[in-house]
Amino acid sequence: MIRINEIKLALDEDEELLKAKSAKILKINKKYITSLTIYKKSVDARDKDNVHFTYSVDIEISLDEEQIVKKCKSNKASIVKPYHYELPENRRSGKFRPIVVGFGPAGMLAGLILAQAGTMPIILERGKDIDARQRDVNEFWTKKKLNEESNVQFGEGGAGTFSDGKLTTGIKSPYIRKVLEELYEAGAPEEILYSSKPHIGTDRLAIVVKNIRKKIERLGGEVRLECKLDKLHIANKAVQGVSYVHHGERFDIETDSVIMAIGHSARDTVEMLYNLGVEIIQKPFSVGARIEHPQSLINKSQYGKFADHPKLGAADYKLSCHGLHERGAYTFCMCPGGTVVAAASEKEGVIVNGMSTLARDGENANSALLVGIEPKDFPTEHPLAGIYYQREIENTAFKLAGSDYSAPAQLVGDFLKGEESRSLGSVKPTCATGVTLTNLDYCLPSKVSATMKSAIVEMDKKLHGFNLYDAVLTAPETRSSSSVRILRDEFLECNIQGVYPCGEGAGYAGGIISAAVDGIKCAHSVLSDEHYKIG
């Protein structure tokens, strides 16, 4: 197979031209091209007067491919091997079924790989199925009635289900393609396979999550919903089984392998692991707020005169700067045409996140504006001090906004001046539980607030309009990542044999793709059964 990079198409050119342009680079007649698949597609908007698409394509030809690539002498063309995921051999010597705790991206892919390997895994998820979960979330957003076991954080699909479904990642792994292929097979749009900035959208994610569960079940696995892990049974520093609670009744399962894909908000489970002697350390995390602008402003800033072109859709951005704080500030999980999400999972706490549908057709754009918090900033040296610090910020925000799950908010212009906001301007906030205008200095750590103010001014130099006076900041965002790391060895086990800390909650991922990849890696480790090999 031949891969050809850097093929440019104007916005109004048809993708049918890719074959002719590929043939020209290879110096052959296009009739010899037997197949063409888009490998990568991206928007190049660096020159606002020439916004265009750039493609990488994989083609097959009816000629000697290596000879053609050599003769064309183009650095855009190269021979590549098609990707193929190989399921590792199942070397498990134990007779028990493996357990996966959590059914977010890490737990889903771990469970799927184990099911494909024929191990019939049992997956425990504390929250409800996606349909019931959506009803509980909507009840919270409309009536402010929080279900602590079924919410934006807990339930089938994990926290990522109520998000933009962004599939970009900074990691490098051959398993990324496996994740994308499974998501596509489960109902995600085909463009996730080639888009440079793939996303699914919260509306399509619900379908994808449900289909992955059904596939696991067809392969002999079980997904037990509304089943909250209660205890790990340990003997001789090895796991012997688990206990879980379902509708008030306690059940036990004997097992020798438990993948802990618990997510970043299962604080009670982290405390249980800590009390069992599992080695946990502090980890940096981030705090900030959601910033909302008119989507039209972002489109204009990013695409110039092409802002309304139908092929471009809603523009996004990714910004960072170093200012008053050593880790600086950065935008995260930008949601074009999206909404700010009330995402509490504990009573008397307020947190926000962002969400977009597949169409990304909302009036506002929003993104997290975050500042790094180092362990030295934590109140104590306790391994779980970051969790307690997060909770303190969330509780303060709850009280500041009226103790009814409204979120504290402030206009960007007022935030920069340090003045409490009294009324909204041209930007209407989208947080479903409502907002209370205030001064965010009252709920954000002073270091975070000061760094955000500096960053807004600096980021406006990169994206004109970022410091729009009427743009709305809604706080706090505290759950972009875990504040702990559960230590694991080269076999991905913690200090309890057979227990595999996994994904974002364990401190080894930061998004849907990286969490899913870590789930695959942990499943591979379970299948390799390394601890039996080494005695």
Side-chain angles (χ1 to χ4, degrees):
M1 187 168 69
I2 301 173
R3 179 163 298 155
I4 303 177
N5 297 313
E6 297 180 40
I7 302 177
K8 298 177 182 179
L9 288 184
L11 297 183
D12 292 323
E13 287 186 303
D14 195 284
E15 289 182 350
E16 289 294 323
L17 289 171
L18 290 172
K19 184 175 285 190
K21 287 179 179 265
S22 298
K24 184 177 180 180
I25 291 170
L26 294 177
K27 299 178 181 178
I28 61 173
N29 192 302
K30 69 177 184 179
K31 70 180 182 181
Y32 295 115
I33 297 177
T34 57
S35 71
L36 183 149
T37 304
I38 298 173
Y39 176 74
K40 191 70 70 178
K41 177 182 178 181
S42 60
V43 177
D44 188 336
R46 289 172 293 180
D47 181 355
K48 298 297 183 286
D49 292 323
N50 183 29
V51 178
H52 60 274
F53 294 115
T54 300
Y55 293 81
S56 293
V57 299
D58 289 338
I59 65 171
E60 295 179 328
I61 61 176
S62 57
L63 303 170
D64 186 315
E65 292 183 347
E66 290 192 8
Q67 185 180 39
I68 292 298
V69 169
K70 187 176 181 179
K71 285 179 65 177
C72 79
K73 297 181 180 179
S74 172
N75 58 8
K76 295 182 179 180
S78 61
I79 300 293
V80 296
K81 290 184 178 181
Y83 171 78
H84 175 68
Y85 169 79
E86 285 194 23
L87 189 69
E89 178 186 353
N90 179 11
R91 298 178 178 177
R92 283 176 57 76
S93 57
K95 63 180 180 179
F96 303 111
R97 297 167 69 179
I99 305 295
V100 178
V101 182
F103 199 59
M108 282 192 290
L109 266 295
L112 181 59
I113 297 300
L114 291 173
Q116 289 173 339
T119 67
M120 297 187 295
I122 298 171
I123 303 169
L124 305 177
E125 167 54 52
R126 67 193 292 169
K128 298 181 181 180
D129 69 83
I130 189 63
D131 296 326
R133 183 186 180 199
Q134 286 176 323
R135 289 193 293 270
D136 289 335
V137 168
N138 286 330
E139 186 170 29
F140 174 56
W141 289 348
T142 57
K143 300 179 182 178
K144 302 184 181 181
K145 183 179 179 182
L146 177 64
N147 184 330
E148 291 186 272
E149 298 299 338
S150 178
N151 47 59
V152 169
Q153 308 296 342
F154 300 142
E156 185 178 21
T161 306
F162 293 91
S163 72
D164 182 56
K166 205 177 305 297
L167 304 179
T168 50
T169 180
I171 69 167
K172 303 289 185 183
S173 170
Y175 303 137
I176 292 174
R177 187 69 185 181
K178 169 66 170 174
V179 175
L180 294 175
E181 288 177 353
E182 291 291 352
L183 293 174
Y184 170 58
E185 182 185 315
E190 185 179 9
E191 54 261 35
I192 71 166
L193 298 176
Y194 56 79
S195 173
S196 64
K197 297 178 180 179
H199 88 288
I200 301 178
T202 187
D203 48 340
R204 189 71 74 89
L205 272 165
I207 299 169
V208 171
V209 166
K210 192 181 299 185
N211 285 338
I212 290 176
R213 167 167 54 90
K214 291 177 179 178
K215 182 174 182 178
I216 291 171
E217 291 169 343
R218 286 196 304 271
L219 292 167
E222 290 182 55
V223 181
R224 300 185 185 179
L225 297 161
E226 299 182 67
C227 293
K228 181 179 178 180
L229 179 71
D230 181 57
K231 186 178 180 180
L232 295 180
H233 298 284
I234 311 297
N236 299 321
K237 296 184 178 181
V239 68
Q240 306 293 313
V242 304
S243 295
Y244 69 90
V245 176
H246 175 66
H247 293 173
E249 190 174 355
R250 199 165 183 266
F251 298 87
D252 297 325
I253 307 174
E254 200 170 359
T255 188
D256 55 16
S257 300
V258 182
I259 295 177
M260 297 294 295
I262 59 177
H264 59 41
S265 292
R267 294 165 169 172
D268 49 0
T269 306
V270 173
E271 288 180 322
M272 180 268 288
L273 294 174
Y274 176 74
N275 291 332
L276 282 174
V278 172
E279 293 178 352
I280 300 174
I281 63 171
Q282 297 179 343
K283 186 181 84 56
F285 68 102
S286 297
V287 174
R290 282 273 150 183
I291 185 168
E292 287 192 270
H293 299 90
Q295 183 62 51
S296 58
L297 181 151
I298 305 302
N299 293 347
K300 182 68 174 177
S301 181
Q302 296 292 68
Y303 296 146
K305 65 183 181 181
F306 298 98
D308 297 323
H309 198 286
K311 284 190 178 181
L312 288 174
D316 65 2
Y317 59 80
K318 185 177 182 180
L319 304 170
S320 63
C321 66
H322 293 282
L324 304 177
H325 186 45
E326 57 266 36
R327 288 185 67 202
Y330 61 99
T331 62
F332 177 78
C333 187
M334 192 271 164
C335 297
T339 57
V340 173
V341 174
S345 60
E346 295 179 347
K347 289 193 182 300
E348 298 187 359
V350 165
I351 61 168
V352 293
N353 200 347
M355 180 175 81
S356 296
T357 62
L358 179 60
R360 290 176 163 175
D361 55 0
E363 184 176 337
N364 288 358
N366 78 79
S367 174
L369 176 58
L370 300 176
V371 176
I373 300 289
E374 301 289 341
K376 67 180 182 180
D377 300 317
F378 296 179
T380 72
E381 295 183 359
H382 191 283
L384 309 189
I387 288 177
Y388 305 144
Y389 193 21
Q390 288 173 320
R391 184 178 285 145
E392 179 184 342
I393 296 168
E394 295 161 13
N395 292 158
T396 300
F398 177 79
K399 296 171 184 175
L400 180 63
S403 300
D404 66 350
Y405 295 105
S406 298
Q410 190 174 14
L411 302 190
V412 163
D414 295 335
F415 179 67
L416 294 178
K417 293 192 295 183
E419 298 177 358
E420 183 174 334
S421 289
R422 302 291 182 181
S423 61
L424 293 169
S426 59
V427 180
K428 182 181 178 181
T430 57
C431 183
T433 52
V435 300
T436 298
L437 292 177
T438 182
N439 186 338
L440 297 186
D441 289 342
Y442 299 153
C443 69
L444 295 175
S446 58
K447 180 180 288 187
V448 170
S449 182
T451 305
M452 285 173 60
K453 290 172 183 177
S454 172
I456 288 170
V457 174
E458 289 300 311
M459 289 176 179
D460 185 71
K461 298 174 183 177
K462 302 175 182 179
L463 196 157
H464 181 64
F466 195 78
N467 69 349
L468 177 72
Y469 197 109
D470 286 355
V472 177
L473 288 163
T474 308
E477 174 131 356
T478 54
R479 309 261 187 107
S480 63
S481 63
S482 176
S483 61
V484 299
R485 176 166 285 128
I486 305 174
L487 297 181
R488 62 190 192 188
D489 61 19
E490 67 270 30
F491 304 127
L492 308 188
E493 290 178 299
C494 70
N495 58 313
I496 305 297
Q497 183 176 293
V499 176
Y500 301 80
C502 179
E504 197 163 324
Y508 296 98
I512 291 173
I513 291 293
S514 58
V517 166
D518 203 55
I520 292 175
K521 289 163 61 178
C522 286
H524 286 187
S525 203
V526 169
L527 292 172
S528 69
D529 221 7
E530 295 285 0
H531 56 268
Y532 282 101
K533 288 184 190 178
I534 64 176

